[in-house]
Amino acid sequence: MSVANLCHRLQPQVSARTAAGFAEVLRRLGGPLQVAVAGRIKSGKSTLVNALIGRRVAPTDVGECTRLVTRFQYGTVDRVEIVFNDGRKQVLPFAADGMIPAELGIEIDKVSHIEAYLTNAVLQGMTVIDTPGLGSLDAASVSRTEQLLGAAKHRKPDDGEEDEEGSDELDDTSRNAVAGAEAVLYVVTQGVRADDQQALAAFTAATASREAGPVNAIAVLNKADTIAPESVEGSGGDVWKAATLLSEKQAATLKPRVADVLPVIGLIAESAESGGFTSGDAEALRQLAEMDDDILETMLISADIFTSWECDVAAGTRLRLLEKLDLFGVRYAVEAIRKEPEITAGSLRRKLLDASGLEAVRQRLSIVFAARADGIKAAAALASVTALAHASGDPAERQRVHDAIEVLLAKPEAHQLRLLEALTLVASGAVDMPEDLAEEVLRVGSNADIGAQLGKPGASRADLAAHALERAGWWRSFASFGATPAQSRVAHVVHRAYFLIWQQIRD
């Protein structure tokens, strides 16, 4: 609310163009948090989007639509809008299968992005942005992805092109300053490659100067069922254990750009959550469960053997099971049926959903994003306000906006913004901290749960209060006697964070 008041107060004091940018910032502040699902091509982003939304709407096969950025947001009427580069919109119905049409029948080069409106409860609190991905894509798709996520370089007018000074319309530079996702869900597969790290670094929250970090980014290790457990030391031959261990290694690799890396099986999650798994599928799995162990084990060696083997379950039915669950999901479901022969189709679907890891991802999204959505949006809004002032080219306007922001950040109610700013400075390396202190700053700033913030999950309230007060005193001493000026600025913020946690526990 304080950032919104800042924008309202500054609008009459800045140019028409900057004021138009502030109006867009205000609109974004009033809307749900915008989360981009990003990653390399073929990482299973669209499948995960469908699972998160709980409806199979994003095409997963390569087509025109998968080359475009698609924003899934809440609407009272289900519809698809194609937004062209010149601002025109064309409304399309969903395809007969309920998905966005894979082929749009238009010139893709003239399209900015797609807006998909759904009467979906999940989207009331979060707008989900499906991206074409970076790497192994045509340049136009990459450019569209970068622009909508705010990673595009500020465009300069072409030769002979008017800059339209004095226009109250947003220019490209200003539009980029307020465009983009405020949070990122980054999808990786088994190996984190160098360009994964580069791509994640390129995804920005609100402006090209605000990089993804532990405040606004988590990653998922998708297709966890394809990991060979023998390739991961300590897995004991268990696929999910192997995926968990590999996720921990990837978290260390991607640190500090993400708050966490969680394993997930997107295909099973999509099938179980979006209605793709039917009672007919459950019955087919029940038939497979009645087969001889040796024969079924042989069939489950590979997809080719599973679909070509002669048995009572039709080959087409088995192919459909593979498309919905893959071999891991088929095996898991068969084992569940054998343990509980009377299990219903609904209960089997819930077991598959549990096995997919989707619920853990949703909980982490809630902790990292939803619980601090206002703070993330406010921080992104301040970054946008700053970028808009710099884009104006007016030194007096820049100074006016800067002074107003400094006054805002000095207020006690703006502490959360100060903490997010401090965390970003440490995570990006802009303020150099000893490794153990940097870890502590990231922990305090990246968690909403008090036990997690203090590094003492499960501790008693008395222990938490004592620890918070002790750390508050330590950081105050460090700020005064052992820190550089830049470190001192961060240390004062961390001291204040611990003190407020102590007060919260006492109250």
Side-chain angles (χ1 to χ4, degrees), residues 309-330:
W309 195 276
E310 290 189 15
C311 70
D312 291 340
V313 182
T317 301
R318 282 177 276 154
L319 179 60
R320 190 172 69 247
L321 287 175
L322 273 188
E323 290 172 345
K324 294 181 179 182
L325 305 176
D326 216 337
L327 290 173
F328 177 89
V330 171

Side-chain angles (χ1 to χ4, degrees), residues 413-484:
E413 61 267 28
H415 173 73
Q416 183 64 24
L417 293 175
R418 281 286 194 198
L419 183 58
L420 293 179
E421 179 192 32
L423 191 149
T424 302
L425 289 171
V426 173
S428 66
V431 174
D432 186 32
M433 282 277 188
E435 187 174 348
D436 58 334
L437 297 186
E439 290 271 356
E440 190 171 351
V441 175
L442 295 179
R443 189 184 69 237
V444 172
S446 300
N447 291 284
D449 176 75
I450 288 179
Q453 282 182 301
L454 298 178
K456 289 182 169 292
S460 68
R461 290 176 65 85
D463 285 346
L464 291 174
H467 183 71
L469 193 59
E470 185 271 323
R471 293 311 296 163
W474 189 93
W475 279 93
R476 183 175 55 189
S477 297
F478 176 66
S480 301
F481 305 112
T484 65

